[in-house]
Amino acid sequence: MIRTLVILAAGLTLTACATTASTTNANAGADPVPMPEPQPCAAEAYQVLVGQPVGGVHTDSLPRPHRVYGPGDAVTMDYRPDRLNIVVGEDGSIIEVKCG
């Protein structure tokens, strides 16, 4: 009885290994799917906003993703080349438009 259980356990173990190996080998020849590169933001097109009051900017018309922030605002430090950043100065006018 114990002998039969040992043989059965060994057979199941080998079957599991064979299935895993064949799945791994089937995917080994395939090229990995590359991640799409983020498109750079359109900061050049929005440079006309520099010097204008931030109240005159319609944020609904800005490309996504975007953020508008000023001095003292909490912002993340992650760099996203597809994100448009509009930086507002102390006087409420736009001082910089950049990607990131």
Side-chain angles (χ1 to χ4, degrees):
M1 177 73 173
I2 293 177
R3 186 177 191 170
T4 306
L5 288 175
V6 170
I7 293 173
L8 181 61
L12 289 175
T13 303
L14 290 175
T15 303
C17 291
T19 304
T20 304
S22 65
T23 304
T24 304
N25 288 339
N27 293 334
D31 291 332
V33 178
M35 294 294 294
E37 298 228 1
Q39 297 297 319
C41 76
E44 312 83 39
Y46 291 93
Q47 292 300 318
V48 296
L49 297 175
V50 175
Q52 296 185 14
V54 72
V57 177
H58 299 285
T59 56
D60 294 338
S61 65
L62 295 174
R64 300 247 184 244
H66 70 268
R67 64 182 175 182
V68 180
Y69 62 92
D73 290 347
V75 292
T76 60
M77 296 303 293
D78 63 322
Y79 180 76
R80 293 183 54 189
D82 62 330
R83 179 174 50 207
L84 180 69
N85 290 300
I86 298 180
V87 185
V88 181
E90 293 282 343
D91 62 352
S93 64
I94 297 171
I95 59 172
E96 187 177 12
V97 178
K98 62 183 179 178
C99 296

